[in-house]
Each structure stands twice: as structure tokens, then as C-alpha cells.
């Protein structure tokens, strides 16, 4: 029975760590996305162009 509690603790710790890592990745992607709007360059007609290539 003791091993089950240890396994549960490891699973919960791993899930918590993964969620925290995913939050940090989401924040970094959001910052890069917002910076794209700030630093995008004007095209030949003087309009603000897209900073991505989709």
C-alpha cells in the first residue's frame, strides 16, 4: 500500500511540473506574438505588413 502512495505522489508531482512548464511555454509564446505586432515592418506601400509568413 505504501508504494501506491509513493506512485501517486510521483504522478502528481510530474503532472504539476508539466503544467508549470506548459504555462511558461505559453507565456513565452504570447510575449513573442505580442512583440511581433510591435516590430513588424512596413511593406512597399507603407502599410504595416504581416510579421509571419503564413
Amino acid at each position: 500500500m505504501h508504494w501506491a502512495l509513493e506512485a501517486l505522489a510521483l504522478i502528481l508531482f510530474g503532472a504539476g511540473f508539466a503544467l508549470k512548464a506548459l504555462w511558461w511555454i505559453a507565456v513565452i509564446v504570447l510575449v513573442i506574438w505580442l512583440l511581433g505586432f510591435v516590430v513588424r515592418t512596413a511593406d512597399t506601400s507603407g502599410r504595416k505588413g504581416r510579421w509571419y509568413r503564413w
Side-chain angles (χ1 to χ4, degrees), residues 11-52:
I11 290 170
L12 291 176
F13 175 77
F17 180 78
L19 283 174
K20 187 168 185 175
L22 286 175
W23 270 111
W24 277 111
I25 291 169
V27 167
I28 291 168
V29 168
L30 178 66
V31 167
I32 292 171
W33 182 65
L34 290 174
L35 280 175
F37 285 106
V38 175
V39 298
R40 60 185 172 170
T41 58
D43 61 8
T44 54
S45 62
R47 293 182 303 124
K48 289 274 192 176
R50 292 185 185 147
W51 64 276
Y52 51 86

Side-chain angles (χ1 to χ4, degrees), residues 1-19:
M1 187 66 180
H2 191 259
W3 61 269
L5 290 176
E6 288 179 4
L8 181 64
L10 283 175
I11 290 170
L12 291 176
F13 175 77
F17 180 78
L19 283 174

